[in-house]
Amino acid sequence: MRCSLVSDRTAATAGHGPSPYVEIERARWAALAAGVAQPLSPVELHRLAGLGEPLDEHEVSEVYLPLSRLLNLYATGARQLHARTSAFLGTRAETTPFVIGVAGSVAVGKSTVARLLRELLARWDDTPKVELVPTDGFLLPNAELERRGILDRKGFPESYDRRGLLRFVSAVKSGAEEVRAPFYSHEQYDIVPNADIVVRRPDVLIVEGLNVLQSPKQNALALSDLFDFSVYVDARTQDIAEWYVRRFQRLQTAAFASPASYFHRFADLGPEEARTTALQYWSSINEPNLRENILPTRSRATLVLKKGADHAVSTVLLRKI
């Protein structure tokens, strides 16, 4: 397989000089899973695809199937290393979950990537039990965000219960029999009381969210310190902005149409008014969060998926081992 060194700018790092990544062109990446059947049916692909995100069997076979195999190899290798380390130390070799972080902007497709990886990883014999937990559940309740005066900064790092999220992943990573995470309703745009996501000793835990790769502060433990592997879903900012607008417009006839939706007031906007409203939300909230908090974490990822304007992955950047 031919892998070329790329500049730090292209490889999602700052500055100039040698890159910590190797760039793998799509055709070369797809060849890594040659001969392996794509296991998902058209119905499953439709269910897994995000709103307005084209997802076909070619994208799954050429991009996500090789990625799932790579992750399976990493997880298997980690389990073997743990067993050998335990034997060396003379301790009981209890395996702990392999934890994967999936990061990226609003509307870039990271939730779809996380769902795909959950389904594909579960098809490999070594990782049959895979759990996915979005970090939305660790957003502070709207009432608390209003009390702090930061409801308009929902999605920014300060809007999360970061300690709660860290405790959750730490408990799963340590092998706890059962760990619970809060449940977030996108329709209600809030945490749902007395509703939990229950995680019971998975082989793999996928943690998906905007800010999961943030650096630690004041030498504290960071969430990303608990990841065994991390994926950043990347695209040009102008492309993400357009995807955000299109998703907003599609939501008008989907989730927004429900009277119970927090955003029901936008359901009857005309096309131009809807586009203007979406761009206002993008430019005032989501783009600043991307530039200030999300994009700077890109270079911390183990692997970067670079998307083109059509949502298809064009290049894979893998951190050198």
Side-chain angles (χ1 to χ4, degrees), residues 33-40 57 60-61 65-66 68 120 123-124:
V36 179
Q38 196 279 102
L40 302 177
E57 61 181 30
V60 175
S61 296
L65 192 57
S68 74
L120 292 171
R123 310 298 172 106
W124 295 103

Side-chain angles (χ1 to χ4, degrees), residues 10-13 21-22 24 67 213 229-235 297-307 313 315-319:
T10 304
T13 59
Y21 290 92
V22 291
I24 307 172
L67 177 54
L213 293 179
F229 196 101
S230 54
V231 177
Y232 186 96
V233 186
D234 193 25
T297 70
R298 183 174 55 183
S299 61
R300 295 173 56 81
T302 313
L303 180 141
V304 179
L305 296 173
K306 295 183 71 67
K307 285 186 169 187
V313 173
T315 308
V316 175
L317 303 170
L318 180 63
R319 186 175 289 276

